[in-house]
Amino acid sequence: MKKNKQIKHKINVDYQKLFNTISIGFICACILFYGARFTSLYIKNKKVEVENVNTLYKVIFNTNFGKENFVDIGGNHYFKNEVDNNYVTYSNILWRIIRINADNSVTLISENPLVSLAYKEEVNFKESYLNKWLNITEEEENTGILEYNLNNPDKYLLKNETCLDVVDKLSNQLCKTTYTDKYLGLMSTSDYVNTGAETSFINNNTKFYLSNTTDTNKIWYITDTNKVSYSDGTDLIGLRPVITVKGNINIVSGNGTLNSPYTFESEKGMFGAYVKLGEDTWRIYQVNEDTINLVSNNLLELNNEAIERIYTNKGYSYNSSKWNTLAYYLNNNYLNSLSYKDKIESNNWANGYYGADNNYNYKEALTDTKEAYVGLLNITNIRLNNELKNYFLMTGSTKNGSLIYLASNNGTIYPTSSDEKNYVLPAITIKKELLTKGEGTIDSPLEME
């Protein structure tokens, strides 16, 4: 009997030990599971907190809140008057921050005009050729010349709100009619006023169109003397595109100054990149499927000095087989001087006309082409180097005339006689695959092996 009690006692003790062991194991497992989960959530929350602090809108807002040149107007925070820390680079284009919007998105305007065009006689941004040059229209060819070259707009941009109000005098009244179908637009008169108007950082002695019309069917623009004026829509004036960036994108680098602009692109695109070929520096102004178009970063030089040449004795046809023309010189003397001439691809360069004869339809300027190894920019190409001026474009101003356009550095282009001497900015085409090293910056250009 006593032995049975001992056995039962031993069994109870063993069960107790087993129960205790299981309980301790269960408790440890709970501690490990929930502890790991807590740690994971803590790390995740801290990461989100850090990311939120480093997002574009948060950095800009925290850096500028309370400053006199960062003002709340209707729930949007505008940079106003003189500003030196609102620079951004995107797609190798320099931009200025106009405002942080109420939804934390950030609206930017390009620092310089990227092209110079006319609205055409019908002055309505939505229906204008300016809108078609800026934004891709699926059913039309040769549209979205800028959008096509931007780096991953679906990832970084929101559809922009372009104001279409009729404005009889400048004010900062809230916009009533907006166009929100596209990524790219133009600056409104109210935004111009809200950034300081004549004292605004926007002004840089360049002519550029605004998005609003007057009650007399004219289009507002800013002059190269930083004044407000209006046009009938046939003036060839600069476009400074406006975009809206997603505010929750993380800043990769920069502090917003001219020497260190904010950057948010996780991967750089090729458009706008610097390229080193031999001893020459070029910029990519158009990205094609297998090739890229490059424009020289400097005017044509001889003995380190920019030289002037005539385009041709008559007309604007770009004929590389006609002796004593600019086309012949570039495709013979100049081409043969390049150590990398065997890497240059033959291209069909647009050589049409643009003006009242075709109702300022820039697409018609692209229909006539000339084959050559070395060409020039045409009226529709994005111009990246705004310091250069008075160089030939490859577009005539009338159908049968001898006037050809010159690019200026104030946001305009203007016609000149093709037999007058002016500066030259060569353009070439190479295969993408040749560029295998470099980052595309001025200090680390893309290069061939």
Side-chain angles (χ1 to χ4, degrees):
M1 191 73 166
K2 185 177 181 181
K3 187 175 180 181
N4 288 338
K5 286 182 179 180
Q6 288 176 342
I7 291 172
K8 287 181 179 179
H9 176 72
K10 185 175 185 303
I11 290 173
N12 288 336
V13 171
D14 289 342
Y15 274 124
Q16 186 66 40
K17 287 181 178 179
L18 179 61
F19 176 78
N20 290 342
T21 301
I22 293 173
S23 297
I24 292 171
F26 178 76
I27 292 170
C28 290
C30 288
I31 291 172
L32 288 172
F33 175 78
Y34 287 105
R37 188 174 181 183
F38 172 81
T39 303
S40 175
L41 289 172
Y42 176 79
I43 292 172
K44 185 176 181 180
N45 286 334
K46 290 298 289 183
K47 182 178 180 182
V48 169
E49 183 180 328
V50 170
E51 288 177 347
N52 284 339
V53 170
N54 197 44
T55 54
L56 184 63
Y57 89 90
K58 199 73 174 180
V59 170
I60 297 166
F61 189 86
N62 288 345
T63 300
N64 295 282
F65 183 74
K67 294 183 179 180
E68 290 184 358
N69 62 355
F70 190 63
V71 296
D72 184 348
I73 302 176
N76 300 320
H77 282 79
Y78 280 84
F79 282 97
K80 188 171 184 176
N81 300 327
E82 294 296 325
V83 183
D84 60 7
N85 66 337
N86 66 341
Y87 291 90
V88 176
T89 55
Y90 165 57
S91 293
N92 291 305
I93 298 171
L94 186 64
W95 307 79
R96 303 295 294 273
I97 302 168
I98 298 172
R99 64 179 188 267
I100 296 180
N101 302 304
D103 64 357
N104 296 331
S105 60
V106 183
T107 297
L108 318 175
I109 184 172
S110 67
E111 170 69 349
N112 294 296
L114 301 182
V115 74
S116 302
L117 295 172
Y119 259 74
K120 74 171 184 176
E121 292 176 356
E122 181 182 345
V123 288
N124 179 301
F125 174 77
K126 184 177 178 180
E127 307 300 328
S128 71
Y129 287 118
L130 276 61
N131 186 21
K132 293 180 180 181
W133 183 89
L134 290 167
N135 295 292
I136 295 172
T137 302
E138 297 294 343
E139 62 273 16
E140 292 187 54
E141 293 184 353
N142 296 319
T143 62
I145 290 175
L146 181 56
E147 183 186 344
Y148 179 82
N149 284 284
L150 292 180
N151 182 20
N152 207 344
D154 292 340
K155 178 178 180 179
Y156 297 116
L157 304 184
L158 296 172
K159 295 296 175 66
N160 191 70
E161 292 189 359
T162 301
C163 184
L164 302 181
D165 285 356
V166 174
V167 177
D168 60 347
K169 63 179 180 179
L170 289 187
S171 73
N172 65 348
Q173 67 182 17
L174 189 66
C175 187
K176 298 176 182 177
T177 305
T178 58
Y179 175 58
T180 59
D181 292 348
K182 303 293 184 180
Y183 284 126
L184 293 138
L186 299 180
M187 190 179 205
S188 67
T189 54
S190 59
D191 274 355
Y192 183 68
V193 171
N194 286 336
T195 57
E198 289 188 13
T199 62
S200 172
F201 64 89
I202 297 293
N203 298 316
N204 59 3
N205 301 113
T206 60
K207 284 186 180 181
F208 61 97
Y209 273 118
L210 300 177
S211 65
N212 302 96
T213 56
T214 70
D215 53 4
T216 57
N217 205 34
K218 300 292 179 66
I219 187 75
W220 290 94
Y221 75 93
I222 307 303
T223 72
D224 54 357
T225 57
N226 305 327
K227 304 293 183 183
V228 180
S229 188
Y230 41 83
S231 163
D232 65 359
T234 62
D235 294 295
L236 277 59
I237 295 175
L239 271 66
R240 293 177 63 178
V242 171
I243 57 175
T244 298
V245 180
K246 298 174 182 178
N248 61 353
I249 294 176
N250 282 352
I251 288 177
V252 174
S253 63
N255 59 14
T257 62
L258 178 59
N259 293 327
S260 182
Y262 293 123
T263 62
F264 52 78
E265 294 163 279
S266 53
E267 293 182 1
K268 290 283 189 180
M270 294 190 77
F271 171 76
Y274 289 88
V275 175
K276 190 71 176 294
L277 299 176
E279 297 300 317
D280 304 320
T281 302
W282 300 78
R283 298 271 318 258
I284 300 173
Y285 72 90
Q286 183 173 313
V287 180
N288 311 305
E289 186 173 351
D290 299 314
T291 62
I292 48 176
N293 292 356
L294 309 174
V295 62
S296 176
N297 197 48
N298 300 292
L299 297 171
L300 185 67
E301 295 181 342
L302 184 64
N303 299 324
N304 296 320
E305 288 190 12
I307 60 172
E308 295 177 304
R309 297 188 64 91
I310 65 166
Y311 184 89
T312 185
N313 288 326
K314 184 180 180 181
Y316 58 87
S317 177
Y318 192 81
N319 187 345
S320 59
S321 63
K322 186 176 181 181
W323 187 78
N324 205 29
T325 64
L326 178 59
Y328 183 92
Y329 174 83
L330 290 176
N331 285 274
N332 290 275
N333 307 61
Y334 174 73
L335 178 64
N336 290 329
S337 72
L338 303 177
S339 61
Y340 45 89
K341 69 176 184 178
D342 60 322
K343 305 298 184 184
I344 298 175
E345 301 287 318
S346 179
N347 191 14
N348 290 316
W349 303 91
N351 187 212
Y353 66 95
Y354 174 80
D357 287 1
N358 55 16
N359 196 27
Y360 301 96
N361 182 350
Y362 75 83
K363 293 188 288 183
E364 291 189 13
L366 302 174
T367 56
D368 186 19
T369 61
K370 298 293 190 298
E371 186 176 1
Y373 285 95
V374 182
L376 305 171
L377 297 178
N378 67 66
I379 189 81
T380 73
N381 291 142
I382 302 166
R383 302 199 301 273
L384 297 171
N385 194 332
N386 291 88
E387 296 178 359
L388 305 179
K389 64 178 180 178
N390 298 337
Y391 58 86
F392 285 116
L393 298 178
M394 206 167 151
T395 307
S397 67
T398 57
K399 185 174 183 179
N400 298 310
S402 292
L403 297 179
I404 193 162
Y405 285 110
L406 289 183
S408 176
N409 64 343
N410 69 346
T412 64
I413 60 172
Y414 56 94
T416 187
S417 177
S418 59
D419 63 359
E420 291 184 0
K421 286 187 175 182
N422 283 288
Y423 294 115
V424 180
L425 197 64
I428 59 174
T429 300
I430 64 171
K431 290 188 179 296
K432 286 181 183 177
E433 62 188 25
L434 293 176
L435 303 177
T436 57
K437 61 180 182 178
E439 299 177 2
T441 64
I442 187 66
D443 297 320
S444 177
L446 301 175
E447 295 184 75
M448 298 184 290
E449 292 289 350

